Structure formats: C-alpha cells, structure tokens
Amino acid sequence: MGTAQRKRLRKVSEKPDLFDQLPDDLVLYILFKLSSSASCPSDFINILITCKRLKQFALDPLVLSRVGVKTFAVKAERWSDSAHQFLKQCVNAGNREALYTLGMIRFYCLQNRGSGASLMAKAAIKSHASAIYSLAVIQFNGSGGSKNDKNLRAGVALCARAAVLGHIDALRELGHCLQDGYGVPQNIVQGRRFLVQANAKELALSLRSMLTWKPQQHHVDEQQNLHYACSVTGTAITGFPLLSDFGCNVPAREVYPDPVNEFLKEWFESRRGMLDHGLRLCSHSGCGRPETRPREFRRCSVCGTVNYCSRGCQALDWKLRHKVECVPMEQWQGVLEDGGDNGIGGMVEIEEGADVALVE
C-alpha cells in the first residue's frame, strides 16, 4: 500500500461521526416521537443495541413514558426477567400501557393479585380504557377473592366509564347488563341501543382496517376471491363475529389484536402457567382470562360446556363458533335461570359445590 493511499485512509478514519455532533436534546426529542410508533418489540431492541448513546437515550424516562403498546407485545414463550425489568422501567416512567400490561400479567399469570390490580388501577386513573374494562370484569367475577367479593354495581360503573372512552367490549357489556338487569335496574330499550352502537363501532373498525390491511402472499388468492365484500350467506365463510347482525361477513382475522390477551392465551396454552385443578380459561378464543377460583365464570345455560368471564365474551364467541356447537344437555334443565336473549344462549352461575355434571 502506497503512502498516498495510507494518508487517504487515515483522513477517512479520522472524519468525525455526524451522529455524535447532533445535540442531545434533538436525539432525545426524535426518540420521544418515534417510541410510540414501533410495530414490534424488535424495533425498540434494535435501537438499544445500535450504540451506547442511543441506548442511553432510549432508556430515558421521557422516551419510556411514550413507548407504544406494540413494543410490549412479547410472546409468552420469550418472557424473561429482562422483559419484566423493562416493563417495570416503563411503569416507573409513568407509561400507562406498561401499567396495564404488567398489571394483567401479574394478576393473571404471576398470580400477584394485589400488585396486578394496583397497576391496573393506576392505568385506569390515567383513563386507559382497557384497564378500566379489565377492572370491571374483576368486579363482576370477584376475581382473586371469593364469590362474596363480587361488586356488580362497581362493575357496571367501570364499564360505563370505559364505554365513554370508546371501549367496544365495555359498551357491549354495559348493553347486556342493562338488558338483563345485571347489577343495574333493567332497561331493555337502552341496553339494546348500546348493543347496536357496539355493533356499529365494530363494523366501522373492521371496514377501516380492511382499507389498510395487506394480506400475506399465500393468502392473496383466497382474499381476492372474497373481494372483501359483504356476504348475505353468512354461514359459508367464517367472518368477523358480530357483523352478521348487519348481513355482512368480513374475512376472519384480528381487527384489533390485543397483545395482552394474546399473551394470556399463549401463557396458559403453552403450559408455562399451570391452572389449578378445576380452573378454566374463558372460552372466547380472543380473551385468555383464567378463573382464579373454581366455577368463577358463568357457564352457557344451554349446553354447560363453555364458560365466559363476561357477557361480552359470550356474545363474541356465540357468533364466532358456539352458535353451531351449542347443544342442549339434560343435566342442565334443572339449573336454567333464563332462556337467553336474541337467540344467544344465556349464562347460568353455578354455586360452589353444586351437584351438576359438567362435560369436560
């Protein structure tokens, strides 16, 4: 190598890094703006491993307070102490998504009921709709305690608050409560009005998602055949659960996937979190909530083979699959409390120690 070439290489190597010349405030502001737009956990991890300076700024409380929900979408099989510590850092920074996510994981998966409920309550104070709805489900079922710990009025009040914030499941649950007189004076007209509003919001959300969703290559032909259109046949194609009420059928997929519910489902289905004897998961495939005591969830009053943490989950699962699977069973005829509504099987609450043969 000649002398001139060595000098050129030395000049190149001595050229200052432009990134190092950026002001700290500017880098911090950029990360603050981008932290909520990560599409998966690896997007944020890539920032941490790029260089020491980026890692330092990425872990700044200002940035952690804005980290989005998709950054917390860790798979249950990859749960570790480092993931737990990262969530704790975001919680300490005041991130409400982290408060809700870690609260749900601690309450249901790690069985740290007090800490989990406390974190969800902090997220609820910050007007996190999903946290408020989750607390409502806990109140309805008395989760983490005994049957005497149920507080139906508190559950209805929390559902109302979450519904005001735009939570569709909470609006649906509130509609069922009013329609059935569950925890609130019965008002069938207002209850059905809320159910129609929930369906309308579901339809709008689905249609909006259809405009932006890009199917994977191996599903392109299938989706093109469907034409993303409304189908009056309904039964030929499995579609979005509640939209058949409007004569529509949208290709089945997660329109608004909740990473927390996915985590709960994977946690217990992978046997990483073992359920005690006699405990079951909510039968709605998109929920993942487990019972915290035997017979906590109410069962379908027609077949008795499925159980749900809420009427909202029952309504979703009914349209998704249970409508074609539900078969009356003789051993349930003596414990029916109601005959259901609008063609949806009702739910019956089983007393602890009741002598009822359940189909396993």
Side-chain angles (χ1 to χ4, degrees):
M1 183 181 295
T3 303
Q5 188 175 1
R6 285 198 297 271
K7 288 183 178 179
R8 284 196 300 271
L9 290 176
R10 189 180 301 114
K11 290 181 179 179
V12 171
S13 62
E14 292 175 355
K15 186 176 181 180
D17 189 345
L18 296 179
F19 174 71
D20 291 335
Q21 297 180 358
L22 292 176
D24 291 350
D25 292 345
L26 178 59
V27 177
L28 190 62
Y29 179 77
I30 293 173
L31 291 177
F32 172 77
K33 288 293 186 181
L34 295 177
S35 58
S36 61
S37 62
S39 59
C40 61
S42 60
D43 287 350
F44 196 83
I45 293 175
N46 289 335
I47 295 177
L48 297 178
I49 64 177
T50 300
C51 66
K52 291 183 178 180
R53 190 180 184 213
L54 272 181
K55 180 179 180 179
Q56 176 185 354
F57 288 132
L59 295 179
D60 187 277
L62 183 64
V63 176
L64 295 180
S65 66
R66 286 292 300 273
V67 172
V69 61
K70 292 183 179 180
T71 304
F72 303 133
V74 61
K75 297 294 184 181
E77 61 183 14
R78 297 182 179 178
W79 178 255
S80 62
D81 290 339
S82 60
H84 198 167
Q85 290 298 324
F86 176 71
L87 276 171
K88 289 173 63 177
Q89 283 183 278
C90 294
V91 164
N92 294 334
N95 188 306
R96 65 176 194 166
E97 290 291 348
L99 286 165
Y100 168 62
T101 301
L102 187 56
M104 289 284 284
I105 292 175
R106 284 186 176 178
F107 189 90
Y108 288 109
C109 300
L110 306 182
Q111 298 186 18
N112 190 341
R113 314 292 187 196
S115 176
S118 175
L119 290 173
M120 282 188 278
K122 291 178 180 179
I125 293 174
K126 294 177 176 288
S127 298
H128 191 285
S130 294
I132 297 173
Y133 176 67
S134 294
L135 290 174
V137 173
I138 291 174
Q139 293 292 335
F140 281 134
N141 297 311
S143 301
S146 67
K147 183 179 178 180
N148 296 329
D149 292 322
K150 291 183 178 181
N151 191 332
L152 303 186
R153 293 184 63 181
V156 172
L158 289 167
C159 273
R161 174 57 179 162
V164 169
L165 295 174
H167 197 279
I168 297 175
D169 290 339
L171 181 60
R172 182 180 297 115
E173 188 73 25
L174 182 61
H176 281 296
C177 288
L178 285 167
Q179 188 172 252
D180 301 339
Y182 189 70
V184 68
Q186 189 175 35
N187 189 332
I188 296 177
V189 174
Q190 185 63 39
R192 290 181 177 176
R193 183 179 295 116
F194 284 156
L195 292 176
V196 170
Q197 290 178 10
N199 282 347
K201 289 178 179 292
E202 201 102 57
L203 176 61
L205 181 64
S206 180
L207 294 176
R208 183 166 62 250
S209 179
M210 286 164 52
L211 298 176
T212 58
W213 182 60
K214 296 180 180 179
Q216 295 181 0
Q217 186 61 40
H218 63 279
H219 290 310
V220 169
D221 294 336
E222 176 185 353
Q223 300 300 335
Q224 286 177 344
N225 292 333
L226 292 172
H227 298 295
Y228 296 108
C230 295
S231 171
V232 295
T233 59
T235 57
I237 304 171
T238 300
F240 194 70
L242 291 180
L243 298 187
S244 57
D245 291 344
F246 296 91
C248 300
N249 204 302
V250 180
R253 56 188 168 82
E254 282 293 333
V255 175
Y256 56 107
D258 189 332
V260 177
N261 291 102
E262 287 293 321
F263 184 93
L264 296 182
K265 180 181 176 182
E266 294 172 2
W267 180 272
F268 291 104
E269 289 184 349
S270 65
R271 300 293 182 181
R272 182 160 187 178
M274 296 295 293
L275 287 173
D276 294 337
H277 178 70
L279 302 184
R280 296 185 178 187
L281 292 175
C282 177
S283 296
H284 174 40
S285 60
C287 179
R289 288 182 177 87
E291 292 180 318
T292 60
R293 66 176 185 277
R295 296 169 181 167
E296 174 184 334
F297 295 162
R298 293 182 295 167
R299 310 295 172 94
C300 174
S301 64
V302 178
C303 66
T305 61
V306 293
N307 51 269
Y308 302 101
C309 66
S310 63
R311 286 301 301 267
C313 278
Q314 185 205 17
L316 285 167
D317 194 57
W318 176 261
K319 291 292 179 69
L320 184 64
R321 65 174 185 89
H322 191 55
K323 184 176 182 179
V324 298
E325 300 175 354
C326 190
V327 178
M329 300 185 66
E330 294 181 0
Q331 61 264 42
W332 281 87
Q333 298 305 314
V335 295
L336 294 181
E337 292 184 351
D338 57 76
D341 56 281
N342 296 333
I344 299 178
M347 290 201 297
V348 60
E349 185 172 341
I350 305 304
E351 298 289 344
E352 296 185 18
D355 186 15
V356 178
L358 298 179
V359 177
E360 300 292 339

